[in-house]
Amino acid sequence: MTLNITYLGHSGFLFDDGKHVLAVDPFLTGNPLARHKPADIRCQYVALTHGHGDHLGDTVAIAKANGATVIACWEITEYLGEQGIQRLEPGNPGGRIVTDFGWVAFTQAYHSASFEGRYMGNPCGLVIQIGGATVYHGGDTGLFSDMKLIGEIYRPQIACIPIGDRFTMGPELASKAAEWIRPKVAIPIHYKTFGLLRQNAEGFAPAGVEVKELEPGQTWRFG
Ligand code: NI
Ligand code: MN
């Protein structure tokens, strides 16, 4: 098992298995905490949880520069097609897309999704199998009890869980989410980027789950 996980800040990550790089929610331009610029990103794939600007981020520039395939819900891929992105893998909750690194499955997320007034489809969570590991990325979401089912079905070792409050769960509900999903490691996301969000991970302390706080720009080797 080889998986290098680079936190881009906010909800963004690079997952690198040594042969393939998948970027998730690469929001760099306008992210005051980001250490990477869009031109720094080398990837074959981009996967998106939903169409809000702080998740779609620099996807168009990154996908064009890399000739990357974008994995996202149907409405987002329609939008990206209009922006000139050619390699698109549309999906929706319940479905799974098999790739050459593994697969990406879409789960529900309890949230909204529009961009510049346009409907961007269902917000999603993603379950990603890469580098021999299974990772759940919750996207932006409130707490919902089917997170237990996500844990039961996919058994992710790693869960990236929004804790910033206001637009998603805060630390207390996010702790409950992690206890329901039961990963080995939970990575807090979607906090401290803006003044409206919680500024630290205090209170995110799920029982029986290791919390791994990553700094933007930090790479952590899993496994
Ligand atoms: Ni959002
Ligand atoms: Mn967001």
Side-chain angles (χ1 to χ4, degrees):
M1 183 188 292
T2 308
L3 183 60
N4 283 310
I5 299 173
T6 299
Y7 183 45
L8 299 175
H10 205 53
S11 299
F13 289 92
L14 299 176
F15 296 100
D16 184 343
D17 70 357
K19 287 183 180 159
H20 316 90
V21 179
L22 166 69
V24 175
D25 287 3
F27 165 54
L28 304 171
T29 304
N31 177 348
L33 301 183
R35 293 284 174 272
H36 290 74
K37 293 184 165 43
D40 300 333
I41 306 297
R42 297 276 173 274
C43 63
Q44 294 85 39
Y45 294 90
V46 180
L48 299 175
T49 61
H50 66 296
H52 281 155
D54 58 324
H55 298 260
L56 188 64
D58 297 288
T59 295
V60 170
I62 291 169
K64 282 186 179 168
N66 289 275
T69 300
V70 183
I71 298 166
C73 76
W74 173 259
E75 288 80 3
I76 293 176
T77 62
E78 278 195 313
Y79 168 80
L80 292 173
E82 293 167 19
Q83 308 307 308
I85 307 300
Q86 290 174 342
R87 294 185 179 150
L88 295 164
E89 288 283 1
N92 236 332
R96 189 170 72 154
I97 293 170
V98 175
T99 65
D100 58 2
F101 61 78
W103 45 260
V104 177
F106 296 88
T107 72
Q108 80 177 88
Y110 187 41
H111 193 61
S112 64
S114 61
F115 183 67
E116 294 173 348
R118 174 173 175 152
Y119 174 63
M120 290 295 255
N122 274 312
C124 298
L126 303 172
V127 185
I128 300 158
Q129 190 170 78
I130 185 167
T134 305
V135 182
Y136 168 62
H137 186 304
D140 283 358
T141 187
L143 185 66
F144 56 91
S145 60
D146 275 2
M147 285 177 179
K148 291 177 188 170
L149 203 54
I150 292 169
E152 183 186 316
I153 291 170
Y154 296 108
R155 301 184 180 278
Q157 291 101 336
I158 300 164
C160 309
I161 300 177
I163 67 151
D165 218 340
R166 187 182 290 265
F167 302 112
T168 70
M169 299 178 284
E172 295 78 15
L173 294 182
S175 297
K176 176 61 73 181
E179 288 166 10
W180 282 348
I181 297 158
R182 296 170 60 89
K184 186 167 180 289
V185 179
I187 301 173
I189 60 172
H190 212 269
Y191 68 113
K192 75 185 177 185
T193 318
F194 309 115
L196 289 173
L197 303 177
R198 294 279 188 106
Q199 295 300 300
N200 57 58
E202 222 168 88
F204 182 56
V209 179
E210 179 191 337
V211 172
K212 182 87 184 169
E213 223 185 312
L214 298 177
E215 290 302 318
Q218 185 184 346
T219 298
W220 171 52
R221 186 184 177 88
F222 178 75

